[in-house]
Amino acid sequence: MRIGILGCGQLARMMALAGWPMGLQFSFLADPGDTGDCVRGLGDLVDYPSDAESLDLPALAARVYESLSRPDVITVEKESVPVPLLEALKAHCNVYPDPKAVRICQNRGCEKAFIEGIGAAMAPKIVVTTLAELQAAVAELDFPVIVKTCEDGYDGLNQWKLNAPADLDAFIAGRDSIAESVVEKRVKFSRELSLLLVRTADGRTAAYPATQNAHEGGILRSSFAPAQHIDAALSAQIDELKSQVLGNMDYVGVLAIECFVVDGQLLVNELAPRVHNSGHWTQQGAATSQFENHLRAITGLPLGSTAVHGFAGMVNLLGVEMDAQRALAPNAFFHTYNKSVRPNRKVGHINLVHDDAGVLQTQLETTLAEIYS
Ligand code: AMP
């Protein structure tokens, strides 16, 4: 069976690495300028058609489908994919997750409207399209706020923290217009959690235990799972959120939900229609990794157990050179993405496993300090 992946970064790489032992074959659609280094040797790398603009959508979809060697299923490794193309590819093969789910997650405004629509809680927010609307939104929400563009924003990119009137003045002084953006109240969270769910086309579901995450400058630095100290009230909110999301999205594959906990209340930050950085620990920490379970879901196989043995941690390698010799302890597992190092670029991660939560937490902190201080 062949899987076509739109995108050829580290998530595509890790999907392919999980799929090879299952006998799956892979083709990757590269965006213009993508080197394909992450997936080199793992399948066919296909360039986005250079004459795409001269083709109508059905012809473009047919061309892409053929160049991907007629995959049985097409999936995505990022949300910034052309949704109309994804929709048109459905004429040729299964496309999971459904393009409508990708579209919701692609635009923060749509995503927040979806989250609101299913009755889940989130930080107060206002969508703006002009600088005057921005000023009005900040006046209504009050400082501190975060401005996030609705599209093309990830890992802290295209986000601005405005803490005081002077920040707003400086932000406005530097521009004469603003892309559609969400102005969001900056919340004082006690912790950040993510939930990883997986669902098959015939409605079978599984979930990994909640993961606790730490970000620096908007980029994930480390994860710990299962998240500790989840009391009954929080656990009930997590269960409700899972069913609210899955009950309202015709979703197939792995889906991540990023959340804040504020005064014991679970607030949704964002959704990711794909395997997720905060689930990398599942490669060693769970019976079945998120990558394998995504593949099982989209190919109609039985889902693998999401059971966790002991505790797992993950440290992202962000713009830092590291080799296995330096990274590995007996309970540590090194993953490199075959990328060149640039500041803050995700070039790999280290997974740690241990059956004692305290020992693992200490090792996670030591590893972070060794890498980043
Ligand atoms: P995002 O790109 O929305 O995932 O944001 C990246 C990170 O920025 C989050 O994981 C948080 O650490 C921080 N952040 C984003 N939005 C908020 C918010 N409304 N309040 C506080 N911190 C936030």
Side-chain angles (χ1 to χ4, degrees):
M1 198 178 223
R2 180 171 289 274
I3 313 294
I5 302 181
L6 268 52
C8 59
Q10 67 265 19
L11 300 179
R13 172 187 180 83
M14 289 185 273
M15 275 192 252
L17 288 170
W20 271 70
M22 299 161 71
L24 300 175
Q25 294 180 304
F26 292 86
S27 309
F28 311 93
L29 184 69
D31 285 330
D34 268 351
T35 59
D37 286 346
C38 287
V39 297
R40 183 141 301 131
L42 296 173
D44 301 335
L45 184 67
V46 173
D47 284 330
Y48 192 76
S50 54
D51 59 347
E53 277 172 15
S54 68
L55 301 172
D56 65 15
L57 207 46
L60 177 63
R63 174 87 71 77
V64 168
Y65 174 68
E66 290 298 331
S67 63
L68 288 170
S69 304
R70 301 176 171 229
D72 300 281
V73 187
I74 286 179
T75 190
V76 299
E77 64 131 24
K78 55 183 180 177
E79 41 277 69
S80 58
V81 294
V83 168
L85 171 62
L86 211 52
E87 195 67 56
L89 284 164
K90 284 164 74 178
H92 301 278
C93 65
N94 287 326
V95 176
Y96 296 133
D98 192 86
K100 289 179 199 68
V102 177
R103 179 62 196 148
I104 289 171
C105 303
Q106 197 171 59
N107 178 294
R108 282 188 198 274
C110 298
E111 188 174 71
K112 304 275 178 195
F114 172 78
I115 295 165
E116 209 160 37
I118 62 173
M122 65 185 147
K125 60 94 190 76
I126 297 171
V127 177
V128 301
T129 53
T130 64
L131 291 173
E133 285 175 4
L134 168 70
Q135 280 172 308
V138 176
E140 189 173 332
L141 295 171
D142 201 6
F143 295 102
V145 296
I146 304 190
V147 181
K148 306 176 179 180
T149 58
C150 283
E151 304 208 347
D152 301 324
Y154 61 91
D155 287 344
L157 203 74
N158 292 330
Q159 292 188 14
W160 299 268
K161 287 180 187 157
L162 308 183
N163 295 322
D167 296 336
L168 177 62
D169 294 344
F171 183 88
I172 288 175
R175 41 183 56 79
D176 49 23
S177 65
I178 183 173
E180 187 191 19
S181 300
V182 175
V183 185
E184 207 172 284
K185 184 79 185 172
R186 191 145 158 234
V187 294
K188 282 206 182 89
F189 54 78
S190 54
R191 61 203 298 202
E192 292 190 80
L193 299 178
S194 60
L195 312 174
L196 283 154
L197 319 176
V198 56
R199 186 209 228 160
T200 60
D202 59 2
R204 286 165 291 135
T205 61
Y208 292 94
T211 302
Q212 175 144 343
N213 302 306
H215 293 78
E216 287 287 333
I219 307 179
L220 183 68
R221 243 311 140 100
S222 65
S223 301
F224 185 102
Q228 300 291 280
H229 313 298
I230 305 263
D231 62 19
L234 189 53
S235 176
Q237 292 178 66
I238 289 173
D239 287 345
E240 191 186 359
L241 177 59
K242 284 181 198 166
S243 56
Q244 281 171 323
V245 172
L246 288 180
N248 287 283
M249 240 186 200
D250 188 13
Y251 197 88
V252 177
V254 166
L255 169 79
I257 312 174
E258 292 186 74
C259 305
F260 304 126
V261 180
V262 180
D263 298 330
Q265 196 192 6
L266 195 64
L267 304 182
V268 179
N269 179 29
E270 62 179 3
L271 310 173
R274 53 176 169 78
V275 288
H276 193 257
N277 195 170
S278 69
H280 289 0
W281 62 267
T282 61
Q283 288 169 309
Q284 270 77 38
T288 314
S289 76
Q290 61 163 345
F291 303 102
E292 177 168 339
N293 254 338
H294 182 72
L295 296 170
R296 287 183 181 224
I298 66 172
T299 56
L301 291 169
L303 295 178
S305 164
T306 51
V308 175
H309 317 297
F311 299 89
M314 190 271 330
V315 176
N316 260 346
L317 298 173
L318 301 169
V320 287
E321 202 90 58
M322 175 77 78
D323 61 29
Q325 190 66 35
R326 205 179 128 212
L328 293 184
N331 65 332
F333 300 86
F334 179 55
H335 299 260
T336 180
Y337 308 152
N338 199 29
K339 277 176 164 179
S340 57
V341 175
R342 288 204 298 262
N344 271 336
R345 191 178 200 200
K346 291 178 180 172
V347 295
H349 67 273
I350 299 169
N351 285 335
L352 304 166
V353 289
H354 205 282
D355 54 18
D356 183 299
V359 172
L360 182 70
Q361 187 61 50
T362 304
Q363 194 183 356
L364 197 62
E365 283 160 19
T366 310
T367 308
L368 280 164
E370 275 169 13
I371 296 171
Y372 293 108
S373 55

